[in-house]
Amino acid sequence: MSTQRVPVSYEILDDRFRTGRCADGDHFMQVLHSEGRWVEGPVYLPAWRQLIWSDIPNDRLLRWDETSGAVSVFRSPAGHSNGNTLDREGRLISCEQGNRRVTRTEHDGRITVLADAWGGKRLNSPNDAVVRSDGSVWFSDPDFGITSDYEGFRAESEIGAGNVYRIDPGSGEVRLAADGFGAPNGLVLSLDESQLYVSDTRSGVLRVFDVRDDGTLSDGKVFAEMREGLGRFDNIRFDDQGRLWAAAMDGGVHCYDPDGTLLGRLLTPEPVANIVFGGAKNNIMFLAASTSVYCLMTAVTGAPRIRH
């Protein structure tokens, strides 16, 4: 592991941030890699003790080995991948902005396309994905990868909107799950999988939807709004106490109580786009922040990796 360290500071906005030990743990972050152009999509692979993330403009997936501290290229080109996650079989699910598709890397290395269109029209640029215990894959599809050539390839949107979709685990059909976003971004399921949370970057809100038995969603409501001057919402993750942690770019990482109260902030040396919990105890927060990837050992534990 890298010996380079940067100090950590917190802003406590509610005493529950203190009593919940959210500001405890290490008071420094370790730098795992600092040679990216714009990094996102960290995912921890517990079986291999590795972290994989996307360096989007450089069109590559990178890999950090926890046992040796070595960083290497996992895949290049990588379709300008953004968000990555694992399914229940430990296979890598990637949102390829450049290729405008969602893919799965099989255990033998083959790549299976899960979604590249909806209603006969090409997707915009899939951004983030989450897998439910029933095998369904949910993903967001803003236009970030088609607005310029920086993170993909400039093009017109065929759909004309940024939506959230669900891939049916049986038929593989891509179905519209939710619409009406400025730019849907991070996705996460509640601990009991009864709700889906979505960050809307351009609208500055976190929305929450009830997940019905048939896989459809309720109309949704606002869970939290970004306070003026405190950043922009990107990806989101739960800890095992039901607190929602939101990467907020220049605003660091925000921590919300289950009732929607902003409890506090982790202040970061670079704008942070994505976070994920990992490590042997699932208590290491990995942060993809602009050009660098950091890790912070915390006193909180991430939500269980496998839902039953």
Side-chain angles (χ1 to χ4, degrees):
M1 183 176 289
S2 170
T3 58
Q4 184 181 353
R5 298 178 175 182
V6 295
V8 166
S9 60
Y10 295 90
E11 181 182 20
I12 298 174
L13 302 172
D14 186 291
D15 197 54
R16 286 172 287 181
F17 195 69
R18 191 191 318 275
T19 59
R21 303 197 65 194
C22 298
D24 292 349
D26 287 343
H27 286 269
F28 61 87
M29 289 191 292
Q30 292 176 276
V31 182
L32 305 184
H33 184 70
S34 59
E35 299 177 4
R37 181 162 268 121
W38 181 257
V39 297
E40 296 204 42
V43 57
Y44 183 78
L45 286 68
W48 300 102
R49 296 184 62 185
Q50 293 181 351
L51 184 79
I52 288 176
W53 69 91
S54 303
D55 186 0
I56 305 174
N58 285 328
D59 195 14
R60 59 184 182 174
L61 290 172
L62 297 176
R63 168 177 50 199
W64 170 75
D65 189 301
E66 188 174 14
T67 61
S68 67
V71 173
S72 59
V73 175
F74 176 76
R75 179 180 297 153
S76 180
H80 294 282
S81 292
N82 191 322
N84 300 283
T85 192
L86 299 179
D87 68 8
R88 287 177 58 83
E89 296 183 35
R91 296 172 295 186
L92 183 67
I93 306 294
S94 298
C95 295
E96 300 182 10
Q97 288 191 163
N99 293 330
R100 300 169 72 168
R101 65 187 191 179
V102 179
T103 63
R104 182 178 65 217
T105 302
E106 308 295 347
H107 292 303
D108 62 3
R110 291 180 298 110
I111 294 177
T112 299
V113 177
L114 301 181
D116 58 7
W118 172 69
K121 299 178 180 180
R122 292 188 70 187
L123 299 173
N124 296 322
S125 55
N127 183 281
D128 196 17
V130 63
V131 182
R132 202 162 182 246
S133 59
D134 63 1
S136 57
V137 179
W138 306 69
F139 68 94
S140 57
D141 186 41
D143 62 0
F144 301 147
I146 59 174
T147 55
S148 74
D149 291 321
Y150 185 70
E151 294 188 14
F153 300 97
R154 185 171 56 184
E156 294 295 323
S157 171
E158 296 184 14
I159 295 173
N163 302 318
V164 173
Y165 300 95
R166 175 183 182 269
I167 304 173
D168 185 83
S171 66
E173 179 185 0
V174 179
R175 300 174 182 174
L176 177 67
D179 55 14
F181 299 95
N185 197 325
L187 304 179
V188 70
L189 287 160
S190 60
L191 271 64
D192 64 0
E193 298 191 328
S194 66
Q195 295 178 309
L196 179 73
Y197 288 72
V198 182
S199 70
D200 189 341
T201 300
R202 291 199 181 109
S203 299
V205 298
L206 298 175
R207 292 172 61 184
V208 56
F209 302 83
D210 293 328
V211 181
R212 303 188 182 103
D213 291 341
D214 62 358
T216 60
L217 300 177
S218 67
D219 291 336
K221 61 182 180 181
V222 173
F223 171 75
E225 297 185 61
M226 178 60 70
R227 296 185 184 180
E228 185 175 356
L230 288 191
R232 292 179 292 127
F233 289 127
D234 204 302
N235 98 313
I236 44 182
R237 291 288 183 262
F238 274 108
D239 66 25
D240 68 353
Q241 299 303 304
R243 292 174 295 237
L244 184 68
W245 297 76
M249 304 298 287
D250 291 326
V253 181
H254 294 191
C255 178
Y256 291 89
D257 188 78
D259 67 9
T261 302
L262 177 59
L263 302 179
R265 298 193 298 152
L266 164 63
L267 306 180
T268 55
E270 297 182 77
V272 56
N274 284 189
I275 59 172
V276 71
F277 287 100
K281 297 180 180 179
N282 207 26
N283 67 338
I284 296 177
M285 182 184 291
F286 295 95
L287 303 94
S290 300
T291 63
S292 307
V293 176
Y294 302 86
C295 72
L296 169 66
M297 185 171 287
T298 72
V300 301
T301 302
R305 300 186 182 107
I306 300 297
R307 313 291 177 86
H308 298 282

